[in-house]
Amino acid sequence: MEELSRVDPDEDPYLALRTALAVAICLLLGEPLGITQPMLPMVMAMSIMSNQRGALSVRTFATPVILPVLAIVTSWIAALTVNEPLIFVVVNVGLAIAGLALMLFRGSRVGMMLTIFPLMMAMSALYSDYALVAIRDSMVMGGLALGISVVALNILFPPQTSRVHIEMVTPLATDRPMTALLIRVAVYVPVLMFVYASGDMNMMIIPIMLLFVVAEPDHGSRMNQVVDRGGGTLVGAFIAAAVLAIYSLVPQMLVMVLLLASVTYWLIDKMTTGARRPLLYQYICSTALVMVLSATQGGRDALEVVLQRVVMTSSTMIGGIILLALLEAIFLPRQEDSPVLAA
């Protein structure tokens, strides 16, 4: 997968401001647009804006269009297959393996969407018809909120460069691609099946976090994921706890918007000025946003949300990297694999 490059502040001095305002807009539009799961468009807005590198391109505006389409298609597949267990398993496992292969051998974000979006819809369908409709509608209307944010904010606060960013990804190159893929499938699919069998939407984070480990081409990039996403979860949990403590004193919507926008601005600014890899700051921000909204709008205890996310993320990523290393040592000698740089 792509390693986020550091943004030159002279090329895009408004990156943090644009991202913070996008988060605020999506949160404020949640109620008027009837978005019952506001964390989905809000986190995606943060990701889209903070991922933006260089001058504007068609891809900048693609996600707000793709999101509703994916939501409708994957929710239809989930609703059609949920009452047929064998078809449900075959379809969802097939999509997961296809997405994993695209991520591993092409470094493709399409592969990530092909894996994560069906997972979200499938878990919602297993939980209840209402949950499936709620997430589908949230993503459809969230696409509208994202579109408004992306267009308006890039017009008001555009990047100050004409250089178009070209992604640099590191797909896996190996003499035994099927063996490499099967090893990852052997780690990922049983966990996916266990989460499906549980029907617990709170456990959905487990296969998502594991995906980012198994889709990496080598041990070094996996360790970066563990540090960035695992460490980001721990730091994000502390930030979320601080935000929730302040919000508990003044439980007003405007206070929540200001707190989350401020956290986003500070962390996304660190993607430009901080000493660590940009992905770490982005994931800290994502984790903090999700934890805060899960605790305030999900009807769950705040401490439970924070602790559960920390435990699940840390144990999943550490367990995944150990198991992958063991299987590769047995079935795929390390010297046979090497990531290659592809433009």
Side-chain angles (χ1 to χ4, degrees):
M1 292 299 291
E2 180 191 13
E3 176 69 29
L4 287 181
S5 57
R6 194 174 301 278
V7 175
D8 184 341
D10 293 329
E11 291 190 348
D12 196 352
Y14 305 120
L15 177 67
L17 177 62
R18 218 170 38 238
T19 307
L21 289 176
V23 166
I25 290 172
C26 287
L27 190 55
L28 288 170
L29 289 178
E31 186 172 346
L33 293 178
I35 301 174
T36 57
Q37 298 291 329
M39 74 179 68
L40 294 176
M42 192 178 71
V43 171
M44 288 183 180
M46 184 278 299
S47 178
I48 291 169
M49 289 297 191
S50 60
N51 277 339
Q52 191 172 321
R53 301 290 188 273
L56 297 179
S57 65
V58 174
R59 184 170 181 173
T60 306
F61 305 99
T63 302
V65 177
I66 294 173
L67 184 62
V69 174
L70 276 174
I72 293 171
V73 172
T74 54
S75 66
W76 176 77
I77 293 173
L80 189 66
T81 61
V82 69
N83 293 319
E84 298 291 339
L86 181 59
I87 298 175
F88 178 86
V89 169
V90 170
V91 169
N92 284 286
V93 169
L95 289 172
I97 294 174
L100 176 57
L102 285 173
M103 292 175 71
L104 185 63
F105 299 119
R106 294 288 182 267
S108 171
R109 289 186 185 177
V110 174
M112 180 173 62
M113 291 188 289
L114 192 61
T115 305
I116 293 178
F117 278 68
L119 168 64
M120 293 171 59
M121 292 302 176
M123 289 299 296
S124 301
L126 288 170
Y127 187 77
S128 71
D129 293 340
Y130 172 78
L132 177 62
V133 171
I135 288 191
R136 182 200 65 197
D137 291 350
S138 292
M139 292 175 70
V140 171
M141 298 310 295
L144 176 60
L146 279 173
I148 294 172
S149 302
V150 170
V151 173
L153 294 173
N154 274 289
I155 291 174
L156 294 172
F157 307 103
Q160 304 298 298
T161 179
S162 59
R163 180 179 65 86
V164 176
H165 174 70
I166 299 176
E167 291 183 355
M168 303 297 289
V169 296
T170 54
L172 177 67
T174 177
D175 294 331
R176 299 167 62 187
M178 286 306 299
T179 303
L181 179 60
L182 287 174
I183 287 172
R184 287 158 173 83
V185 169
V187 174
Y188 183 74
V189 170
V191 173
L192 181 66
M193 294 299 297
F194 171 76
V195 172
Y196 280 148
S198 74
D200 186 353
M201 292 189 67
N202 297 321
M203 296 181 68
M204 191 164 57
I205 190 63
I206 294 177
I208 292 176
M209 288 298 100
L210 185 59
L211 176 67
F212 290 111
V213 173
V214 299
E216 290 296 334
D218 59 16
H219 181 75
S221 57
R222 284 178 218 145
M223 285 303 299
N224 286 344
Q225 288 289 334
V226 171
V227 171
D228 291 344
R229 296 184 184 277
T233 297
L234 294 174
V235 179
F238 284 111
I239 294 174
V243 170
L244 290 169
I246 297 172
Y247 180 70
S248 66
L249 299 175
V250 190
Q252 299 295 326
M253 181 63 174
L254 181 58
V255 174
M256 175 63 70
V257 172
L258 291 174
L259 286 170
L260 294 184
S262 299
V263 166
T264 302
Y265 182 90
W266 177 63
L267 288 169
I268 303 307
D269 181 66
K270 286 292 184 181
M271 290 181 69
T272 300
T273 61
R276 302 288 184 178
R277 285 186 297 272
L279 181 62
L280 174 63
Y281 300 109
Q282 186 191 62
Y283 196 71
I284 291 171
C285 187
S286 172
T287 302
L289 296 180
V290 169
M291 285 184 179
V292 169
L293 286 186
S294 295
T296 56
Q297 300 186 10
R300 298 172 59 201
D301 180 73
L303 181 60
E304 177 192 356
V305 169
V306 172
L307 290 179
Q308 186 180 69
R309 182 66 179 261
V310 169
V311 171
M312 285 186 175
T313 299
S314 303
S315 58
T316 296
M317 301 198 82
I318 293 172
I321 200 170
I322 291 173
L323 185 55
L324 266 179
L326 177 62
L327 291 175
E328 286 180 340
I330 297 172
F331 298 106
L332 194 64
R334 190 171 177 182
Q335 62 267 23
E336 294 186 10
D337 291 344
S338 62
V340 294
L341 197 61

